[in-house]
Amino acid sequence: MHENEGSCYVKLDGEAYANEWGFHTSHSLLHHPLDYRLHIRSSDRCCTSFQKTFLPSTSSATPPARPFCSFTCPAYHLVKRKADDSSAETCPEYFRWIHEDVRPWKATGITKEMVVEGAENKAHVRIVAVNGRVPELQIKPWEMLRKELEGGNNRVKWEERKPKAYWKGNTRVCALRKELLKCNVSEEQDWGALLYDLDWQHERGQKFNNTSLASQCTHRYKIYVEGAAWSVSEKYILACDSASLIVTPHYYDFFTRSLLPTIHYWPINEKTMCKSIKFAVDWGNNHPEEAQEIGKAGSKFIQEELKMKNVYDYMFHLLYEYGKLLKYQPTVPEGSIEVCSETLACSGRGLKKKFKFNSMVMHLSDSGPCIMPPPYDSSSLQLFLERKLNLTKQVESWEAGERK
């Protein structure tokens, strides 16, 4: 990594680490080189901070390493997938959005000037993958947590859950969350919501005893509201089979664009948030079967469509399609630091290190990635977007009629 340029050479050769999902890709990856820039936390802007955060510590306080932990990256031998893999299944529907995401560069391709020079003032770290070499706060690796969340759905029957909308989170990250707190139940007004401001420093002192995600599916409705941008809490909230009330989103996770209002979740209008939440709760309590179906559909989507195999495959196809558009051959910047899953597994202490080990894939996938579905044609994409908009407008119409 160059301290002046902020460049980082990362090997993505079958095992790539991502903190939020806690995953290492399970396929020998790319036939195309990659060169792209990422936005990362401001605390990681300089090389020194990056090294402290991600690279292994040689301190004697570091727990003993397991056999696969290494301070150097091993040499990998790419395993080519068979051209005809009869075991491969078709990817989930949301993979079609990959075609839309790379469409802006289909005609022109991606040049070095676009990546290296065009993003110079906007990106903090440059990540280069050459020749196919592609914990949060007490939150466990996704595959482990996904199963716990599924079990949590069975702890309290829906009809026995509190007939309120529940939200707990940090309100200091954006104004909208502070506005949300005004919808809390009070002596003057019952908006049907139980809302809790979460201080992570305090919770850390309490060893996160009150923040178990698998034990929070005890209300009939759960609220999702964005933070400074998109929030990682969305998939956890949807995984609970209580109906998810999603406040007007302005960002999306890679899988959320295929979700439909009144099918997978209930839309909440950010401009009339409190009234919108109250209407959703009253509607759900008066239509319990329909409300349960919405909750189950959202939970089923997360449990079945968002298995780690699909997450790996999504990253593979996204990077593969991106790599095909490059008009230049990326090279490893002089003086760069190579980072791979082995070095990342050695870094950190305590739970951070434990969760990295728990999420690490120890072998290549025994099957190829799923088969990409074709891109949307213009008419089918327009029909889908219109359906999504019309379903939201239908709810807004119901709310307006209730207020008359």
Side-chain angles (χ1 to χ4, degrees), residues 76-146:
Y76 285 95
H77 298 285
L78 290 178
V79 179
K80 297 203 174 186
R81 181 168 61 92
K82 296 178 182 178
D84 179 20
D85 190 346
S86 58
S87 64
E89 300 178 349
T90 301
C91 303
E93 183 74 8
Y94 62 83
F95 279 57
R96 300 180 78 177
W97 292 100
I98 291 176
H99 299 293
E100 300 306 311
D101 290 338
V102 299
R103 190 179 300 278
W105 301 284
K106 281 285 187 181
T108 63
I110 300 172
T111 66
K112 187 172 184 179
E113 289 72 26
M114 291 179 183
V115 177
V116 180
E117 298 173 7
E120 190 71 37
N121 297 323
K122 298 179 181 179
H124 304 308
V125 169
R126 178 184 176 191
I127 297 179
V128 182
V130 177
N131 295 327
R133 296 171 64 105
V134 165
E136 300 174 46
L137 295 167
Q138 189 69 9
I139 298 178
K140 300 177 182 179
W142 172 239
E143 193 65 11
M144 182 187 304
L145 180 58
R146 184 180 64 83

